[in-house]
Amino acid sequence: MNCMKRRRLLALALAVAAAACDAAHEAASDELTIVVQGDRRELEQQDRALHEREEALTKEKTQLDTRIAELARGLKAAADAQQKARLEEELRRNQDLEGQINVRASALQAQKSEVEARKQAIDADAQKVAQAALVARQAAVVAREAKVAEREGQLAQILKDIDVRGKDISVREKDVALREKAVSAFERQGPPPEYRDPRTVPKAAAVEKKHRELLADLESRGILISDLPPEIQPLNANVFAAKRQGDFSRAWDLIGQLTKVMARLKVDQKFVEQKMVRLQGARGSAKLSDDQRGEVEKLLREVTAAFSDGHYDKANKGLNRIAVILDAGVASG
């Protein structure tokens, strides 16, 4: 999961870097486009202005040509010298104006040619700049590809190292689990018997006597093996096993452990409450006859009464009788 997350983060970083580079190139291209478009708009405005001036000049020349033609006809039909002189003077002025219009038309045409030339130059420059920008972008892409390949190689090595470390940790985890299991098994076996000089090894009779005294103490206090802590309950069976194997030193040590636990046990309210809960669970799984069930219910009433009065020893003995009936029910089932 962590590896996948790292891969996604790296891919995102590469995508962001690529987007940033693309944005830079696009920004430069946009700036160039803006400049070119600005120049073209300026030339188009000039072109429109020249066109308007050309139309006005053409209109003016048309009107002037019409007037000159009228003056020429009037001059031919002039009746006297004074009228003829006046028409000739006006005709001369209009002809001068016509010459000026022709000069203005020539200048206007020159300006139009200049604007057109500038348009072509701008288009040519824009193409050159665009080609140069394209070449630069291609070079940038190649450089970015090389960097990405390098970073991908580094990432692959990092992921490889992580996989190796993960496998190593898995092996160590398994080893620790096995060691924990072995330690737990060893702890359940109880501590090893202390080394004793052969002359001090307890005799079988002494071990047997001490064990009987322990069991008698359990019985007199109304404490069952099932009343002991779960980790202590197997010790009594281990005592019997050690005696059968002739390992009296171990049997002696186990009896000592049981004796210490017994010394800490008290038949009090908490002890009886825990025992009642435990037997209640056993009661649910036991197969009892009607007589046994009736006897258990009777004993439970007596136990409850004794418990309420604070007579915990009496309540405990009643629970022990119930335990015997339940054990018989389980055995018969």
Side-chain angles (χ1 to χ4, degrees):
M1 182 64 71
N2 290 334
C3 292
M4 292 298 295
K5 186 175 182 181
R6 291 189 179 91
R7 289 192 179 97
R8 288 197 295 270
L9 289 176
L10 179 62
L12 178 59
L14 294 176
V16 170
C21 292
D22 290 341
H25 289 299
E26 290 176 0
S29 178
D30 290 343
E31 290 176 0
L32 175 62
T33 302
I34 291 172
V35 172
V36 171
Q37 289 177 349
D39 291 342
R40 289 188 64 85
R41 280 196 296 270
E42 181 181 355
L43 291 176
E44 288 172 357
Q45 291 175 357
Q46 293 179 7
D47 193 27
R48 283 195 297 271
L50 290 174
H51 183 68
E52 292 174 357
R53 288 171 58 191
E54 185 179 28
E55 288 182 349
L57 194 61
T58 300
K59 183 178 180 181
E60 184 179 353
K61 187 176 184 303
T62 300
Q63 293 175 350
L64 188 60
D65 289 342
T66 301
R67 181 58 180 164
I68 289 174
E70 291 176 352
L71 289 174
R73 288 193 298 271
L75 185 60
K76 290 180 180 180
D80 53 32
Q82 184 178 2
Q83 183 182 10
K84 184 177 180 180
R86 182 177 58 77
L87 292 173
E88 287 176 349
E89 179 63 25
E90 185 178 355
L91 179 60
R92 192 165 43 253
R93 288 198 306 271
N94 286 328
Q95 288 174 343
D96 291 340
L97 289 174
E98 185 179 25
Q100 294 175 9
I101 288 175
N102 290 334
V103 172
R104 289 164 59 191
S106 297
L108 186 62
Q109 188 61 40
Q111 290 179 353
K112 289 180 65 178
S113 299
E114 181 183 358
V115 169
E116 184 63 28
R118 288 176 62 188
K119 283 184 180 180
Q120 294 177 359
I122 287 175
D123 291 341
D125 291 342
Q127 291 177 358
K128 291 179 181 179
V129 172
Q131 290 177 352
L134 182 60
V135 172
R137 288 183 63 188
Q138 289 175 340
V141 168
V142 172
R144 286 166 54 200
E145 287 175 342
K147 290 182 180 179
V148 170
E150 180 182 0
R151 294 171 68 183
E152 286 176 340
Q154 294 174 351
L155 175 62
Q157 184 60 44
I158 291 173
L159 295 177
K160 183 178 179 181
D161 294 342
I162 290 175
D163 290 339
V164 171
R165 291 173 59 189
K167 292 178 181 178
D168 179 64
I169 291 174
S170 297
V171 172
R172 292 170 61 188
E173 287 175 342
K174 291 179 181 178
D175 179 64
V176 170
L178 291 174
R179 290 165 61 190
E180 288 176 342
K181 187 175 181 180
V183 170
S184 298
F186 181 77
E187 290 174 344
R188 286 195 298 270
Q189 293 175 359
E194 298 178 359
Y195 171 77
R196 289 185 177 86
D197 187 278
R199 292 171 297 180
T200 63
V201 173
K203 302 298 182 180
V207 172
E208 189 65 32
K209 179 182 178 183
K210 188 174 182 179
H211 193 198
R212 283 199 305 269
E213 290 174 350
L214 172 65
L215 296 177
D217 186 31
L218 284 171
E219 184 177 0
S220 64
R221 295 178 60 188
I223 297 176
L224 306 176
I225 295 298
S226 58
D227 294 332
L228 301 176
E231 67 275 12
I232 300 299
Q233 292 177 16
L235 295 186
N236 190 53
N238 292 340
V239 171
F240 283 104
K243 289 193 298 182
R244 285 195 301 271
Q245 296 169 2
D247 191 352
F248 298 110
S249 294
R250 177 166 174 75
W252 184 270
D253 292 334
L254 293 172
I255 294 170
Q257 293 180 44
L258 279 170
T259 302
K260 291 179 182 179
V261 174
M262 284 287 298
R264 294 194 298 268
L265 278 180
K266 293 182 180 180
V267 180
D268 53 12
Q269 179 180 352
K270 182 179 179 181
F271 179 91
V272 175
E273 285 178 347
Q274 292 176 345
K275 193 167 187 175
M276 290 174 68
V277 172
R278 188 171 63 253
L279 290 179
Q280 189 65 26
R283 179 187 176 192
S285 59
K287 296 182 179 180
L288 304 177
S289 64
D290 292 340
D291 292 340
Q292 289 174 326
R293 189 175 296 105
E295 182 66 17
V296 168
E297 291 176 355
K298 176 184 176 183
L299 289 171
L300 279 176
R301 288 194 294 270
E302 294 176 357
V303 167
T304 302
F307 182 82
S308 300
D309 294 337
H311 300 154
Y312 302 121
D313 286 332
K314 183 177 180 181
N316 182 55
K317 291 178 181 178
L319 291 174
N320 287 345
R321 293 170 62 189
I322 293 175
V324 172
I325 296 174
L326 294 179
D327 289 341
V330 172
S332 63

